[in-house]
Amino acid sequence: MAEDFYKVLGVKRSASSAEIKKAYRRLARQYHPDFNAGNKNAETKFKAISEAYECLSDEQKRKNYDLYGSATPPQGGPGGSGPYGKQWGGFGDFNFQGFDFSAGQGAGGGQDFSEIFSDLFRGARDGSQSSTRSPQRGQDIQHSITLTFMEAIKGMTMNFKIDRSIVCTSCKGFRQVTTGKKTTCTNCGGNGKQKLRQGNMVFETPCRSCDGRGFFDSVACDNCGGAGRKPFAEKIKVSIPPGVSNGTRVRVPHKGEAGLFGGPEGDLFIITKVEDHEFFERKGENLYCSIPISFVEAALGAKVQVPTIDGSATIKIPPGTQTGQKFRIRGKGVPALRGTQVGDQFVEVRVQVPRLRDERSKELLREFETLNPENPRENLHVAK
């Protein structure tokens, strides 16, 4: 019994025409002989999926297949020449023109094989884009800037010059201008079609020279040399939002390269580099710093002023504070690049031991030691 066409394509019997086409395109690329040189199994598989698609892409043939298990009604009898003939016997110089490519182009709504294979091998033919004049979006461009630590946190507006391109005013980005005279395309002889060969296969596609029209009625634009766009140096003003960091991409819409054939411009991306700060260290949206406190402040406690990105803030040092203790100042960090959240500032203290400059100070410390006996190394033990 012949293999189920639906199973061959991996679709349900209720699949739409679009789903069948999508499945075929995927499998055709996977098993095409040009991508599987010398693989007989891939060649056999490719024949099967092509046969299945040729049937299921045509509305009437699909109805016959669902009713009778064949693309043609039973009265046609087995062994008829059919659309495949002897061409499936040996792969040889297989010619897609052996298929009824027009099937499904009318009421059936099926997909033309030549269209699918034209799309499938478009990149393989020359590695370039199709010559059809579909709108092409302009490329994005990048521009790097260096900001100070505070500029990155606070945000700023800056002016600078960028080199990009704009649409040619003569051809409007279409690369050619109309002459009013028609000249027959020599590549296709005026029929708008050309035959292309891929390995053992030959298929027909619209002529790439004239876009399938069979004639030329335009010439390359003199103003832009056929490029469709012209270089342009532009001065722009860009707002850098608060909270950017190293590697942040700030998008400026429509300031990239010009599009072609009516396509939109690309975008400009500002890439930020942020300088270090001598006092603050940034980690995400939080800021970290370190301040010295005196021996007396650490022992008795105190209120001390700490620099912040907005000026200064007061923190309370409790009695008995040790070196390395950290204190948080809420809301004094970096604003989030997205949203309204603001980070915090963390302050680490370092206790500075005083230098004794007179005997009286030494006597006072000895008296302090007598009144407050303490051995900080009491619990130090080395295992034996």
Side-chain angles (χ1 to χ4, degrees):
M1 180 178 292
E3 191 171 359
D4 187 332
F5 283 166
Y6 291 99
K7 289 184 178 180
V8 170
L9 295 180
V11 297
K12 298 179 180 179
R13 299 187 73 87
S14 59
S16 65
S17 297
E19 291 171 330
I20 291 174
K21 176 183 176 182
K22 182 178 180 181
Y24 173 73
R25 291 173 66 95
R26 175 177 55 81
L27 293 171
R29 177 173 288 277
Q30 180 179 353
Y31 292 104
H32 191 277
D34 280 358
F35 301 148
N36 298 272
N39 187 335
K40 295 296 182 181
N41 183 55
E43 179 178 317
T44 302
K45 186 71 174 176
F46 181 75
K47 293 177 183 179
I49 62 177
S50 297
E51 180 180 2
Y53 181 74
E54 197 274 338
C55 174
L56 298 183
S57 62
D58 181 88
E59 183 177 341
Q60 186 57 51
K61 291 181 180 180
R62 184 178 179 183
K63 286 182 179 179
N64 291 337
Y65 180 78
D66 291 341
L67 288 173
Y68 311 115
S70 172
T72 56
Q75 58 267 27
S81 60
Y84 317 113
K86 296 181 180 179
Q87 292 172 337
W88 288 122
F91 212 67
D93 286 337
F94 182 78
N95 192 322
F96 283 103
Q97 290 178 328
F99 279 105
D100 182 9
F101 286 158
S102 63
Q105 291 299 298
Q111 175 66 24
D112 191 335
F113 268 90
S114 61
E115 177 186 339
I116 287 182
F117 280 91
S118 175
D119 292 341
L120 186 61
F121 295 108
R122 180 177 295 134
R125 287 198 299 269
D126 59 0
S128 64
Q129 294 180 344
S130 169
S131 61
T132 56
R133 300 179 180 181
S134 57
Q136 296 179 17
R137 181 181 181 274
Q139 291 184 338
D140 296 330
I141 58 178
Q142 294 185 354
H143 184 87
S144 298
I145 61 172
T146 300
L147 304 174
T148 67
F149 190 87
M150 289 300 180
E151 286 173 342
I153 292 177
K154 299 288 189 179
M156 63 175 299
T157 298
M158 62 187 309
N159 299 292
F160 55 86
K161 186 178 74 171
I162 59 170
D163 294 319
R164 64 187 196 97
S165 61
I166 57 174
V167 171
C168 173
T169 55
S170 297
C171 66
K172 309 301 181 184
F174 284 86
R175 294 182 172 178
Q176 296 185 331
V177 292
T178 302
T179 61
K181 298 180 180 180
K182 292 185 179 181
T183 304
T184 301
C185 174
T186 57
N187 187 52
C188 65
N191 63 13
K193 298 179 181 180
Q194 66 180 123
K195 294 180 180 179
L196 297 176
R197 185 182 185 92
Q198 279 292 318
N200 293 327
M201 296 185 177
V202 179
F203 53 95
E204 193 173 75
T205 64
C207 176
R208 298 181 67 252
S209 297
C210 63
D211 293 333
R213 296 184 298 168
F215 63 89
F216 298 102
D217 61 354
S218 58
V219 295
C221 176
D222 288 335
N223 187 39
C224 62
R229 46 196 169 200
K230 302 196 70 174
F232 182 65
E234 182 177 4
K235 292 182 178 180
I236 63 173
K237 179 183 291 186
V238 177
S239 295
I240 305 298
V244 299
S245 58
N246 278 317
T248 296
R249 289 160 54 94
V250 179
R251 175 175 172 264
V252 185
H254 309 302
K255 291 299 180 181
E257 303 291 359
L260 294 176
F261 309 119
E265 302 96 338
D267 297 329
L268 167 66
F269 287 91
I270 307 297
I271 312 299
T272 59
K273 180 180 180 182
V274 182
E275 296 176 343
D276 293 332
H277 195 272
E278 59 182 7
F279 181 70
F280 293 111
E281 179 183 1
R282 178 177 173 180
K283 296 180 181 179
E285 294 163 2
N286 295 325
L287 295 177
Y288 295 80
C289 65
S290 176
I291 65 169
I293 60 173
S294 69
F295 173 78
V296 175
E297 290 173 331
L300 301 180
K303 292 181 178 179
V304 298
Q305 293 290 313
V306 179
T308 68
I309 58 174
D310 297 319
S312 64
T314 301
I315 62 173
K316 184 177 181 180
I317 305 297
T321 294
Q322 305 294 317
T323 289
Q325 281 189 239
K326 293 183 176 66
F327 301 88
R328 173 186 288 183
I329 308 177
R330 297 187 180 276
K332 292 299 182 180
V334 181
L337 195 57
R338 297 176 180 83
T340 58
Q341 182 180 354
V342 179
D344 300 326
Q345 179 176 335
F346 292 86
V347 181
E348 181 179 348
V349 297
R350 305 187 310 272
V351 179
Q352 288 191 337
V353 178
R355 294 183 178 181
L356 302 181
R357 295 180 175 82
D358 54 72
E359 288 299 320
R360 176 58 181 161
S361 297
K362 295 178 182 179
E363 290 177 4
L364 289 174
L365 280 180
R366 294 190 184 102
E367 183 178 351
F368 174 83
E369 183 180 26
T370 302
L371 295 174
N372 299 273
E374 182 179 358
N375 181 7
R377 295 169 298 281
E378 181 179 359
N379 294 324
L380 288 180
H381 298 285
V382 178
K384 295 182 179 179

